[in-house]
Amino acid sequence: MCGIVAYVGERSAAEVVVDGLRRLEYRGYDSSGVVVSPGAGADLRVVKRAGKLAALEGALVGHVLDGHLALGHTRWATHGRPSDANAHPHLSEDGRLAVIHNGIIENYLPLREALTASGHVFESETDSEVLVHLIEHDFAGDLAGAMRSALRQVLGAYALVAMHSDRDEVVAARATSPLVIGLGDGEQWLASDVPALLPYTRRVVYLLDGDVAVMTRAGVHITDLDGAIVDRPVEIIDWDAEAAEKGGYEHFMLKEIDEQPTVLQQTLGGRFRPDGLDVDLDLALDPTAIDRVVITAAGTASYAGMVGATMIESLARLSTTVEVASELRYRDPVMDARTLVIAVSQSGETIDTLEAVREAKRRGARTLAVLNVKGSSLSREVDDVLFVHAGPEIGVASTKAYMAMLAAFALLAIRLGRGRGTLSDERVAELVAGLRGLPHAVEEALATRDRVRVLAERMASARSALFLGRGVNVATAFEGALKLKEISYVHAEAYPMGEMKHGPIALIEPSVPVVAIATASARYDKTVANLQEVRARDGIVIAVASEGDEVIASHADEVIYVPRVMELLSPLVNVVPLQLLAYETALALGRDVDQPRNLAKSVTVE
Ligand code: G6P
């Protein structure tokens, strides 16, 4: 949500910044802008445009934006619609100070009224613009000092970056919204996310809440809001630059779907004990010190949590519930020191998930994150982290991170079960063998693409679609429906299959295809009966079924066969054709697959 890029150094700063913004497009945005300092006290040069980056790049043609210091921003509108005026950077009235901001300034209205009363003239409808006026008001040659004094007056979340035509520096501050500095020799970068830095450097410093950083060509100087020096470690990013490139693919989403067998190897790699009877996850958690588990997350991560809950309950015999973070954080949940709260997140920056964890900690619960991004806010706030090692995920619609989360949950459930003595050697050996076979099974599931492409034609003309699943695959139905909605904009609804008769059955007609997870399971017969009920009402059934199931064809209009794996691990295989179905339907409808309308990859505001 919103992207920030800044640069100071010898290169053409505008080019570096626009390149960085392009690499952050996946975060979701609806306008963009760039400001360059030509140096020697000359006025700052700003170009900003509503719409996609192409509009900004078009507007930049013919502008001479020479300079070695620049800021760039992609804005996801909160206060004020996407327009040229509301796009960032915001300039001071004298044109010498520029500010970009991610987050929400909650007390902007009284601040704006007070500033207006003292003669400031506002040019946008944004909450962010108060920041430029506050800093301008306090600026007397010390930009970091003026920023600190402005920040003492605001409430809310921010990643804030400023520059002044008199100063050869970029000043940045953080509260809640992420910022990471890339270190170079005689040059430095700043961004809201690591992929913008990958082509240039692997040495990074993550800013923490309350930090104010001054970046010059010579280096970086970080203080707290009172001006006291703080020391932040330099970390080395182990993602390779190609991982964040399309690598010949038309879309990141398809590349990431195809990467899933490799991702599984990364998630599982090195985690099985040599005897194959347990897993090593490097957790401080004592599995016998907890009585129940609460899993919390948003979006796709919450569906991974649903699968995880079934795994943990089944293998570790721990009562486990799942609740979306935006609800959990505002309830009055019952939790204590024997409650394990598991936060699931790709980015580790989803504000609701972070706040739910903070609430759990206030109540004394133990916390663990199932997480992809190292160095993210969530990684620093929990007692234990289980990294899923999916690598950078750029497509807004999450695919490989979901796959990695499911595999990580299987490992966690085994560890908890082993630690609690609820799993026999035989059962563990069976699960470990099942997990080891998954990369190959997922590889085979990817071969459904041609079949799925044909079915996508039907989906593209559907009025709506129904996704049904049972047991551990209820989550697969939810994830399949979410993927379809997110990127093709075809309405889809997911239901536990047994609930169909209690409402959604009224929707069934030929223009509403029913996608049913009907792979081998202990409830297979019930599933078949439900499919009959759909077909008796002229419904069109697209079944995802296990290879070798010859019966299913007589209960479904279309069948997508996937490899047969153990039921508890089947969501990892079953989700693949549903990811492909969403992708192919979106393609058939000409949608923007990697940047679907209104969505953001990482939702950092409420
Ligand atoms: C947004 C994204 C989803 C993602 C969700 C949670 O809604 O568009 O793809 O599943 O946030 O994000 P997280 O980074 O916490 O997994």
Side-chain angles (χ1 to χ4, degrees), residues 463-503:
R463 196 166 56 79
S464 178
L466 206 52
F467 284 69
L468 304 174
R470 276 183 177 273
V472 72
N473 280 302
V474 170
T476 311
F478 274 100
E479 176 58 7
L482 179 67
K483 285 286 91 86
L484 188 71
K485 279 185 275 208
E486 280 184 314
I487 59 165
S488 76
Y489 318 145
V490 172
H491 174 256
E493 199 171 334
Y495 253 79
M497 203 175 286
E499 272 291 291
M500 182 185 66
K501 285 203 277 287
H502 301 284

Side-chain angles (χ1 to χ4, degrees), residues 147 151 158-161 171-175 177 179 207 211-213 225:
M147 189 184 281
L151 290 178
Y158 52 79
L160 173 66
V161 189
V171 180
R174 163 191 171 146
S177 303
L179 277 178
L207 294 187
D211 288 356
V212 177
L225 278 177

Side-chain angles (χ1 to χ4, degrees), residues 111-279:
L111 288 170
R112 184 172 172 133
E113 279 163 19
L115 286 158
T116 306
S118 66
H120 287 261
V121 178
F122 280 75
E123 290 185 348
S124 78
E125 304 154 306
T126 65
D127 55 325
S128 309
E129 198 187 342
V130 296
L131 293 163
V132 73
H133 292 280
L134 286 173
I135 297 173
E136 179 185 30
H137 186 264
D138 292 334
F139 181 75
D142 173 8
L143 184 53
M147 189 184 281
R148 279 193 214 96
S149 115
L151 290 178
R152 278 194 279 273
Q153 302 171 61
V154 305
L155 298 173
Y158 52 79
L160 173 66
V161 189
M163 66 187 211
H164 193 281
S165 55
D166 288 348
R167 312 277 308 169
D168 212 6
E169 65 188 13
V170 170
V171 180
R174 163 191 171 146
T176 306
S177 303
L179 277 178
V180 55
I181 293 173
L183 302 174
D185 290 327
E187 56 184 345
Q188 328 291 339
W189 299 258
L190 173 83
S192 35
D193 211 347
V194 165
L197 310 177
L198 282 178
Y200 307 107
T201 183
R202 297 297 149 79
R203 291 192 301 133
V204 304
V205 173
Y206 292 97
L207 294 187
L208 301 192
D209 286 352
D211 288 356
V212 177
V214 177
M215 236 169 66
T216 62
R217 289 180 199 213
V220 177
H221 178 78
I222 306 175
T223 63
D224 64 16
L225 278 177
D226 297 321
I229 293 171
V230 292
D231 196 22
R232 299 284 172 235
V234 176
E235 298 185 34
I236 307 297
I237 301 295
D238 57 8
W239 289 348
D240 60 36
E242 289 84 65
E245 304 282 350
K246 278 190 194 154
Y249 278 87
E250 198 184 338
H251 298 105
F252 278 111
M253 183 182 180
L254 185 61
K255 174 176 179 252
E256 289 164 1
I257 290 173
D258 275 357
E259 280 172 357
Q260 291 179 117
T262 314
V263 163
L264 280 175
Q265 282 164 349
Q266 288 164 196
T267 311
L268 301 172
R271 281 172 157 167
F272 298 115
R273 292 223 180 130
D275 64 4
L277 295 179
D278 205 342
V279 294

